């Protein structure tokens, strides 16, 4: 069964070691990869997560995704990233459902909210598998890798034709997370935004540590904490605590772009604040070359 325990409140986005897991041989590395999330009694979600955790190919894709991320000097894209996106996505979806927003699994297929949870879980856990091949167009590569895996990953939870419906909706969330993905469904919008919210406590600061000083790396390092809660005027409130005002670029360029034009547009309020009287120094100097 999936672990129901969470080390922090659901409002606070988890932020483990920003560097990701220590590199080990493939067999050892994938043995440690095990994603967890609060399933709240959703048996189909539990069954799906158990299938993912027991699938060596999926965990090997996560391993290779991180290898390529390190080759490119990128932030953590290991199974830790997948787990964080999974937990954020479920948090977002449940807040939207609580506010009465109907997911595609209910509106279009007459299924249940709990099936929508499986869809966002699938998208969260498989959205970057294509990066095991190459970063460029990785969203498209993720489609054909995930397509082959989903039949077996969903087999214990769903029969046909529902299994194919779930697989198709999961694939929609995967392609929808690219920069101009334009997801049609609430579930697709949730995965798209959840991916962008893995930014707390230096999760995206690795390029800066490697000496790549630019607005993207500087703004990413300025994010300290992300909290997700029910909003007062909108379904979801996202609060981003910054240590430097440069982080506003990260919020506006990355997060706002991910929200605009999706079914989450108009249902999420984003508030970014710089805490403290002084700002953290992130840049030693800059020379235009």
């Amino acid at each position: 069964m999936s672990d129901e325990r969470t080390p922090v409140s659901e409002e606070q986005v988890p932020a483990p070691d920003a560097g990701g897991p220590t590199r080990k041989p493939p067999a050892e590395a994938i043995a440690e990869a095990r994603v967890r999330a609060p399933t709240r009694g959703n048996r189909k979600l539990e069954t799906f997560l158990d299938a993912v955790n027991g699938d060596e190919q999926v965990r090997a894709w996560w391993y290779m995704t991180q290898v390529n991320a390190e080759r490119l000097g990128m932030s953590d894209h290991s199974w830790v990233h997948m787990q964080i996106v999974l937990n954020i996505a479920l948090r977002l979806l449940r807040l939207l459902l609580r506010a009465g927003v109907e997911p595609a699994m209910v509106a279009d297929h007459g299924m249940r909210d709990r099936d929508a949870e499986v869809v966002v879980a699938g998208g969260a856990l498989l959205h970057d598998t294509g990066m095991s091949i190459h970063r460029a167009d990785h969203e498209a590569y993720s489609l054909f890798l995930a397509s082959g895996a989903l039949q077996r990953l969903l087999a214990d939870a769903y029969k046909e034709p529902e299994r194919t419906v779930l697989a198709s909706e999961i694939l929609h969330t995967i392609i929808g997370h690219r920069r101009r993905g334009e997801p049609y469904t609430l579930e697709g919008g949730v995965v798209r935004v959840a991916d962008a919210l893995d930014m707390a406590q230096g999760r995206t600061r690795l390029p800066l540590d490697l000496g790549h000083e630019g607005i993207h790396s500087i703004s990413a390092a300025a994010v300290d904490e992300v909290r997700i809660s029910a909003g007062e005027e909108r379904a979801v409130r996202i609060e981003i605590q910054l240590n430097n005002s440069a982080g506003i670029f990260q919020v506006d360029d990355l997060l706002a772009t991910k929200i605009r034009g999706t079914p989450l547009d108009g249902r999420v309020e984003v508030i970014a604040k710089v805490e403290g009287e002084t700002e953290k120094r992130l840049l030693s100097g800059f020379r235009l070359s």
Side-chain angles (χ1 to χ4, degrees):
M1 289 295 179
S2 301
D3 194 341
E4 292 284 343
R5 296 170 296 176
T6 51
V8 295
S9 71
E10 286 192 356
E11 288 187 8
Q12 185 175 351
V13 172
D17 183 0
T22 303
R23 175 70 65 80
K24 295 181 179 180
E28 291 183 32
I30 70 169
E32 295 178 351
R34 182 174 180 81
V35 295
R36 294 176 173 83
T39 56
R40 296 187 178 180
N42 184 342
R43 300 302 181 190
K44 290 181 178 179
L45 179 58
E46 290 176 359
T47 300
F48 177 72
L49 293 181
D50 287 343
V52 171
N53 282 324
D55 195 289
E56 290 191 346
Q57 186 175 51
V58 171
R59 290 180 291 152
W61 286 333
W62 293 341
Y63 167 82
M64 276 305 305
T65 296
Q66 177 61 11
V67 169
N68 279 330
E70 291 177 13
R71 287 169 175 166
L72 296 171
M74 295 178 62
S75 57
D76 174 42
H77 276 70
S78 70
W79 67 270
V80 176
H81 170 64
M82 312 309 165
Q83 173 168 277
I84 291 175
V85 175
L86 167 66
N87 279 272
I88 295 173
L90 289 173
R91 175 66 174 163
L92 290 172
L93 179 66
R94 287 165 178 166
L95 288 171
L96 289 160
L97 295 176
R98 187 192 304 175
V101 184
E102 198 170 49
M105 294 308 297
V106 175
D108 296 337
H109 306 301
M111 297 177 74
R112 302 179 63 192
D113 291 344
R114 295 194 166 197
D115 300 305
E117 291 186 354
V118 177
V119 170
V120 300
L125 295 175
L126 299 173
H127 73 283
D128 274 341
T129 54
M131 211 173 124
S132 65
I133 300 171
H134 202 285
R135 174 64 180 177
D137 297 322
H138 73 279
E139 303 93 344
Y141 300 144
S142 295
L143 289 181
F144 70 74
L145 293 180
S147 179
L150 282 169
Q151 288 300 312
R152 66 176 183 270
L153 295 175
L154 293 167
D156 290 339
Y158 293 93
K159 297 180 180 180
E160 292 292 0
E162 288 78 9
R163 187 190 308 162
T164 293
V165 170
L166 264 288
S168 297
E169 293 289 7
I170 290 171
L171 294 174
H172 178 77
T173 71
I174 290 173
I175 199 63
H177 95 279
R178 60 184 174 180
R179 187 163 183 84
R180 294 179 177 84
E182 300 178 354
Y184 308 148
T185 66
L186 184 72
E187 294 91 326
V190 163
V191 172
R192 179 179 174 85
V193 173
D195 182 39
L197 284 173
D198 181 13
M199 61 172 71
Q201 295 183 12
R203 286 280 301 158
T204 53
R205 68 165 291 128
L206 181 59
L208 182 62
D209 292 339
L210 293 175
H212 304 311
E213 293 184 342
I215 187 59
H216 291 280
S217 58
I218 295 293
S219 63
V223 179
D224 275 345
E225 184 179 349
V226 178
R227 297 187 71 86
I228 303 169
S229 60
E232 295 181 3
E233 298 181 359
R234 298 184 180 183
V236 179
R237 177 186 177 94
I238 299 172
E239 296 178 80
I240 302 174
Q241 182 178 319
L242 307 174
N243 59 55
N244 187 286
S245 53
I248 296 298
F249 179 85
Q250 185 83 357
V251 175
D252 185 57
D253 183 68
L254 178 60
L255 182 56
T257 300
K258 293 284 189 174
I259 294 174
R260 292 189 190 110
T262 75
L264 272 68
D265 201 350
R267 294 185 167 118
V268 176
E269 55 182 324
V270 180
I271 300 170
K273 298 179 180 179
V274 179
E275 300 290 340
E277 297 180 359
T278 60
E279 296 192 6
K280 183 178 181 180
R281 184 179 181 183
L282 296 174
L283 184 64
S284 57
F286 186 80
R287 176 179 294 179
L288 187 62
S289 58

